[in-house]
Amino acid sequence: MPNVKVYNMKGQEVGTKELSNLFEAEYNEPLVHQAVVTRLANMRQGTKGTLTRTEVRGGGKKPWRQKGTGNARQGSIRAPQWVKGGVVFAPKSRDFSKKMNKFARRGALLSAVSKRVADNDFFVIDNIAVKDGKTKEMVEFMKAFKFEKSVLVVMSDNDALVIRAAKNIKALQTLPVNELNTYDVVKNSVLVMSADAVDNLQAVYGAMFDNNFANQEDDE
């Protein structure tokens, strides 16, 4: 099982923490890709829509007779070639959402997190907290660790002061551990978790996979 250093908000090492084998998952790129595509698809509203020639109001009368005018033949002023006419192959509202098996989704998350651990882009903080909720407090945190890439900070819960202090920093994103997902882990280059968030993740996912394996053995 991997051991990682534990730091405080000032970048000082204050101890070590042993991670469970959940953080040693083999990197499964197809599964991670599926999770990211599913997340992006589910974020799409799919509410765009325009009118075809049959849906545009008006245009019932033929604009001029078929022959003898010298003009091209026209059947309706709502045909696509006319201004204010209908749209050819008009886009319509649709549902872009995709579904993904729960165990596959969680497996993708653990795969992405394990990749951050293996690449040394994973940091554990003893307690993620700020005093006044000021942006400069999180800027000092970023400087203490010399973070130059985008950072995802995962907390055990929604700390309003931390969220307020981080929201004006473009390269910094905060999430409670119960909202942690593969897309945000992959999107950001560095993953930072509080010690409590790590314990929470290990407790929930460890119990889930243990129960799954137990059920598989019972079936056999």
Side-chain angles (χ1 to χ4, degrees):
M1 296 184 182
N3 278 311
V4 294
K5 296 178 180 178
V6 179
Y7 300 89
N8 59 22
M9 291 286 287
K10 296 181 179 180
Q12 300 168 338
E13 184 179 343
V14 293
T16 59
K17 188 174 185 62
E18 184 178 13
L19 304 178
S20 71
N21 55 5
L22 294 176
F23 290 84
E24 292 183 309
E26 182 179 352
Y27 185 62
N28 190 331
E29 186 173 356
L31 192 61
V32 171
H33 177 267
Q34 182 185 355
V36 171
V37 169
T38 300
R39 173 79 175 190
L40 292 174
N42 292 342
M43 291 169 62
R44 297 185 66 175
Q45 291 184 339
T47 54
K48 64 181 180 180
T50 54
L51 304 180
T52 64
R53 62 181 296 173
T54 61
E55 297 169 322
V56 179
R57 183 180 177 86
K61 180 182 178 181
K62 189 175 175 67
W64 51 74
R65 67 179 188 267
Q66 184 81 345
K67 296 177 179 292
T69 64
N71 296 323
R73 295 170 290 183
Q74 301 293 330
S76 170
I77 61 172
R78 293 298 178 251
Q81 70 271 20
W82 285 74
V83 175
K84 297 184 180 179
V87 177
V88 180
F89 305 125
K92 294 296 181 181
S93 297
R94 54 171 290 193
D95 182 11
F96 289 95
S97 65
K98 296 178 180 290
K99 292 184 179 180
M100 190 174 179
N101 179 279
K102 178 176 69 174
F103 289 99
R105 186 172 64 249
R106 293 187 173 187
L109 174 59
L110 294 178
S111 179
V113 171
S114 297
K115 183 72 162 56
R116 289 283 174 260
V117 176
D119 293 345
N120 295 320
D121 290 324
F122 178 79
F123 296 84
V124 177
I125 308 299
D126 60 347
N127 182 34
I128 299 176
V130 294
K131 182 179 179 181
D132 302 316
K134 300 293 185 180
T135 302
K136 66 179 181 180
E137 294 177 284
M138 293 306 290
V139 170
E140 291 173 357
F141 163 72
M142 296 279 283
K143 289 181 178 179
F145 286 88
K146 299 180 180 179
F147 290 142
E148 298 179 354
K149 300 178 181 179
S150 57
V151 180
L152 174 62
V153 175
V154 181
M155 305 169 289
S156 58
D157 55 13
N158 273 315
D159 189 318
L161 290 179
V162 174
I163 294 173
R164 188 173 71 182
K167 68 179 181 180
N168 287 330
I169 304 176
K170 186 177 181 179
L172 185 60
Q173 180 183 356
T174 59
L175 277 181
V177 67
N178 62 342
E179 294 181 12
L180 184 62
N181 61 86
T182 306
Y183 171 70
D184 287 319
V185 173
V186 172
K187 183 180 71 172
N188 294 281
S189 300
V190 178
L191 177 61
V192 176
M193 295 184 70
S194 68
D196 289 343
V198 172
D199 292 337
N200 187 304
L201 190 69
Q202 292 182 151
V204 172
Y205 281 46
M208 183 197 72
F209 282 104
D210 288 344
N211 291 336
N212 183 43
F213 294 147
N215 292 335
Q216 289 179 350
E217 291 177 357
D218 291 341
D219 293 339
E220 295 174 357

